[in-house]
Amino acid sequence: MIQLLNTKILYIIVISYVLADNSVINNDCSCGKNLNREKCINDDTNKNNEYCSKNNDKFVNNNDVKNNFLHNNNDNDKYLNMVRINGDSYFIGTNKPVFAPDGEGPQREVILDSFYIDKYEVSNKDFKNFIKATGHKTEAEKFGDSFVFEGLLSEKLKSTIDQAVKAAPWWLPVKGASWLHPEGKDSNISDRLDHPVVHVSWHDASAYCKWVGKRLPTEAEWEVTCRGGLKDRLYPWGNKLTPNNEHRANIWQGEFPDINTGEDGFIGTSPVTNFPPNKYGVFNIAGNVWEWTSDWWQIDHSKNDIKNPTGADNALDKVKKGGSYLCHKSYCYRYRCAARSQNTPDTSAGNVGFRCAVS
């Protein structure tokens, strides 16, 4: 009983927020914001650290992305499965932040030039074509492991892993986990080629976008797309999570992290074409997987940074948006358009993917 109690205590994070409906919101946990490779240190030498142990000798940045990729120069093909967002004045952020320390507020005006953005998250099939054409090796493959949610692993595999993220012990570093083997060497993507690619770092995502003649969207572009023309709404479709009792996003149902009832039809990722699109015709921009943006992380937003804002000039982390299949209102209530999180650009995990944009 004592051991069970101690295990449960690990799942409690000190900082929490209470919404108007009295739901307790946790500021950390499932989002994966603690999964930063630069901060991993050896548990044997520092029992109070917040991360799993890693071999720091392998922690090298991958800023020198090779330029000898086979680019797609056909503009007609480039814009297939993209939507155009017209240049205009928009509002992003919120004056009612759930996680104020995340820099969700205030609501602020941005003026954007017209841009195109992918209707769908980049799929395993898309990324497989990229790998085949370029020989790109992802950072997860270079490091030899990546973070996987323990609920997707077999008991046999979990018994071989003796490390975890202290602040969120359901995140485990799994050897051999990569885009091709999402839950480790014994898994594959043969039955989920239409699911979003995961275990891709910001560098990997940028390399793919460059190969297809695109780029990652800015945070402002992403959030304007997410809102689908709606103002002051929580989600891409409005304020009600399940209008007409219909699931609109792939998120966690049940009690995180122990029980996922899968009421939306999925325990892990879902196909990139699943669930209704927003009014812009964009699919899965909330839930399913977190999506990298091009912005460096900042929480203090300048009132003067209105025209095509791009975030901080430089920082340690990159902004990711949209939440994932692991998000639950009691822990990671970040499948809202205004919500945001961050990771170092070399970090990868089983709930992080991306989509591309074009100026």
Side-chain angles (χ1 to χ4, degrees):
M1 180 65 72
I2 294 177
Q3 183 177 2
L4 177 61
L5 180 60
N6 288 336
T7 300
K8 293 296 183 183
I9 290 174
L10 287 174
Y11 293 93
I12 299 174
I13 308 298
V14 175
I15 302 175
S16 65
Y17 297 83
V18 180
L19 297 184
D21 62 359
N22 294 322
S23 297
V24 177
I25 304 298
N26 194 298
N27 192 36
D28 294 305
C29 301
S30 67
C31 295
K33 64 190 298 182
N34 290 318
L35 307 184
N36 295 316
R37 287 192 181 274
E38 279 93 336
K39 295 181 180 179
C40 291
I41 42 184
N42 195 308
D43 279 84
D44 293 333
T45 59
N46 183 355
K47 296 296 183 181
N48 294 320
N49 78 76
E50 298 179 357
Y51 305 100
C52 59
S53 66
K54 294 284 181 181
N55 178 359
N56 287 285
D57 292 336
K58 296 187 294 183
F59 293 165
V60 292
N61 288 326
N62 189 29
N63 291 318
D64 298 325
V65 178
K66 295 181 179 179
N67 293 318
N68 60 344
F69 291 157
L70 302 177
H71 292 276
N72 182 349
N73 294 317
N74 189 327
D75 280 344
N76 291 329
D77 290 341
K78 180 192 298 186
Y79 295 103
L80 286 175
N81 293 322
M82 300 191 83
V83 297
R84 176 187 169 96
I85 310 297
N86 291 325
D88 206 340
S89 171
Y90 298 93
F91 284 91
I92 64 173
T94 177
N95 289 326
K96 298 179 180 179
V98 176
F99 302 119
D102 281 358
E104 294 182 354
Q107 186 181 78
R108 56 202 180 275
E109 181 184 19
V110 294
I111 299 174
L112 301 181
D113 293 333
S114 297
F115 64 95
Y116 290 83
I117 192 165
D118 288 347
K119 292 181 180 179
Y120 311 109
E121 294 158 330
V122 173
S123 69
N124 282 317
K125 182 179 180 180
D126 297 330
F127 202 76
K128 185 177 182 180
N129 290 336
F130 162 62
I131 297 298
K132 183 178 180 180
T134 66
H136 178 82
K137 191 173 184 179
T138 63
E139 290 191 291
E141 292 170 297
K142 292 178 181 179
F143 289 130
D145 60 26
S146 189
F147 293 103
V148 181
F149 177 69
E150 68 165 355
L152 299 178
L153 301 175
S154 67
E155 293 299 324
K156 181 179 179 180
L157 180 56
K158 282 192 286 186
S159 68
T160 66
I161 301 172
D162 58 2
Q163 302 162 341
V165 177
K166 185 176 181 180
W170 38 85
W171 281 111
L172 305 180
V174 176
K175 293 181 179 178
S178 69
W179 74 273
L180 192 58
H181 305 287
E183 291 82 48
K185 294 179 180 179
D186 293 336
S187 64
N188 61 72
I189 58 171
S190 60
D191 62 345
R192 41 183 151 167
L193 290 175
D194 59 347
H195 286 225
V197 65
V198 293
H199 296 297
V200 285
S201 69
W202 184 91
H203 294 131
D204 298 325
S206 297
Y208 173 91
C209 290
K210 184 176 182 179
W211 175 67
V212 294
K214 302 180 183 181
R215 59 173 173 79
L216 287 171
T218 66
E219 180 179 10
E221 290 172 338
W222 188 100
E223 188 168 331
V224 166
T225 301
C226 181
R227 294 184 181 279
L230 301 178
K231 296 180 180 179
D232 297 323
R233 296 295 185 268
L234 292 172
Y235 314 119
W237 54 87
N239 283 331
K240 188 174 181 180
L241 181 59
T242 54
N244 299 318
N245 294 318
E246 179 184 21
H247 289 285
R248 295 295 186 92
N250 178 17
I251 58 176
W252 186 285
Q253 292 92 39
E255 296 181 9
F256 188 87
D258 300 314
I259 301 173
N260 187 351
T261 60
E263 294 170 22
D264 58 21
F266 302 94
I267 299 298
T269 58
S270 64
V272 298
T273 56
N274 218 72
F275 300 99
N278 69 3
K279 290 187 177 182
Y280 285 160
V282 177
F283 292 73
N284 283 294
I285 200 162
N288 211 19
V289 294
W290 282 98
E291 299 180 14
W292 289 112
T293 74
S294 62
D295 290 27
W296 288 106
W297 175 262
Q298 65 178 7
I299 58 175
D300 297 319
H301 308 286
S302 172
K303 294 181 179 180
N304 297 322
D305 192 15
I306 297 177
K307 179 68 172 178
N308 297 317
T310 57
D313 293 333
N314 197 5
L316 295 177
D317 295 344
K318 287 290 186 176
V319 177
K320 60 181 186 180
K321 299 278 284 185
S324 79
Y325 61 88
L326 293 178
C327 280
H328 186 273
K329 190 173 184 180
S330 65
Y331 279 87
C332 179
Y333 186 33
R334 289 183 173 88
Y335 42 88
R336 298 165 292 111
C337 290
R340 55 207 301 269
S341 191
Q342 86 274 21
N343 282 118
T344 54
D346 62 350
T347 297
S348 61
N351 69 338
V352 182
F354 66 104
R355 72 180 73 222
C356 305
V358 175
S359 298

